[in-house]
Amino acid sequence: MKKISRRDFLAASAAVGAAGVLTACGGSSSSTATSTAASTAASAAAGGKSTDYPTKGISVICPWSAGGGTDSCLRAFCEAMGKNLGVTLTVDNQTGGGGILGHQAIADANTDGYTIGMITFELATYKKLGTSELTWENYAPLCRVNTDAAAITVGAKWAADNGITDLPGFIDYCKAHPGEVQMGGSSNASVWHIAGGYLMSATGIDIQMITYQEGAATAVQNAAGGFIQGVTVSLAEARSFIESGDLICLGVMDEERNPVFPDVPTCKEQGYDITYYTQRGMAAPLGVDDAIMTRLEEACAAAIEDPDFVTFMNNNGQAISYLDAQGYADYLKQAAVDVAAAMDAVGL
């Protein structure tokens, strides 16, 4: 774990101005027409060729730990893809290095189409940080699946002991106890880490950001166990502990309330203009045969419309934000520019 104080985030407003636009920008759609068009275009691109792919199960690498938002979204999406492909897609959690290990494994995978993976927001940060040379250009994008807003969630017992019932009360407490409150995110320079920095900058509070290289799931568990006071991760990642009563969410960094938690107000409703999101999508290593890529893109388009996947995402409070392969590539190209600017502003 690593502690990051407010002084490391003096320019975080500018950072999230860029990152928020990056993760929430348009093109989102889960309509049948969109999926049909994507599938038709993919078939045309293949020139009508057929392939017997796949003939066996597919391994899908997740760069983050089991139980986190990326993992849960990916597992549901793999179930849906499997229905279309007629084989089992098995999630392989390869964690470490702030997601670098898993992202590298996807890029280095065999190009036979039997190993793909889910790439996340953090991919745009590695080269700027000097931790890896990986960028979106090391992958063949398949589709964007999901965007999720950050939320301010704290330990229920800690909140009750200190008379905190809403976001303004939390802000007041933090101002009265500068540098004392510890909030968890994910790895250093991850989307949830930067979210905590923006919270400090936007509200004028001074908290300690605790980073977890293995991902948000550990941060949430530590908050529920009282080892830290709260987290700045998505509602979906904190959901089980919110429902058990171990955590309470004080506000979501979104334009609208989450339909799974309609009683949780947005930060904007409470007087704080804070919106902030992450993104997740599917990708293959470079060099996969065009016919196989087309088949995978078709499966992604179908999976987005799968009723069980849609129900899971709705029930889990995770937004479906589909972009086809070309749209996702365009998005990732712009993200590389926007995130670099955001990181400059935040001092990373």
Side-chain angles (χ1 to χ4, degrees), residues 265-292:
T266 66
C267 296
K268 280 190 172 184
E269 288 179 69
Q270 301 178 79
Y272 301 96
D273 189 8
I274 308 174
T275 55
Y276 191 73
Y277 306 82
T278 191
Q279 70 86 20
R280 304 176 176 104
M282 302 298 294
L286 294 173
V288 175
D289 181 80
D290 287 346
I292 293 176

Side-chain angles (χ1 to χ4, degrees), residues 153-158 220 223-226 229 240-248:
T153 304
V154 298
K157 183 178 185 304
W158 174 80
V220 173
Q229 281 69 61
S240 63
F241 289 104
I242 294 173
E243 292 177 338
S244 70
D246 294 299
L247 298 176
I248 60 170

Side-chain angles (χ1 to χ4, degrees), residues 97-118:
I100 293 174
L101 191 153
H103 280 103
Q104 187 69 61
I106 299 168
D108 292 343
N110 192 300
T111 59
D112 60 2
Y114 289 98
T115 302
I116 58 176
M118 178 164 270

Side-chain angles (χ1 to χ4, degrees), residues 13 25 33-34 49 103 129 166 190 198 201 235 242 244 262 271-272 287 298 301 305 344 347:
S13 293
C25 66
T34 300
K49 293 180 180 179
H103 280 103
L129 288 171
D166 54 18
S190 69
Y198 182 48
S201 180
L235 270 171
I242 294 173
S244 70
Y272 301 96
E298 290 173 341
E305 299 293 343
D344 282 337

Side-chain angles (χ1 to χ4, degrees), residues 155-206:
K157 183 178 185 304
W158 174 80
D161 289 345
N162 292 284
I164 298 171
T165 59
D166 54 18
L167 184 57
F170 172 78
I171 300 302
D172 288 344
Y173 181 90
C174 292
K175 287 182 176 179
H177 301 83
E180 293 183 15
V181 175
Q182 295 182 323
M183 298 288 285
S186 188
S187 63
N188 184 56
S190 69
V191 64
W192 303 142
H193 179 201
I194 296 173
Y198 182 48
L199 173 64
M200 288 189 271
S201 180
T203 61
I205 62 175
D206 185 0

Side-chain angles (χ1 to χ4, degrees), residues 95-141:
T95 64
I100 293 174
L101 191 153
H103 280 103
Q104 187 69 61
I106 299 168
D108 292 343
N110 192 300
T111 59
D112 60 2
Y114 289 98
T115 302
I116 58 176
M118 178 164 270
I119 58 177
T120 63
F121 170 93
E122 290 75 19
L123 179 62
T125 70
Y126 298 144
K127 191 167 185 177
K128 185 74 167 59
L129 288 171
T131 54
S132 171
E133 289 298 307
L134 288 172
T135 72
W136 74 275
E137 293 178 281
N138 293 102
Y139 306 85

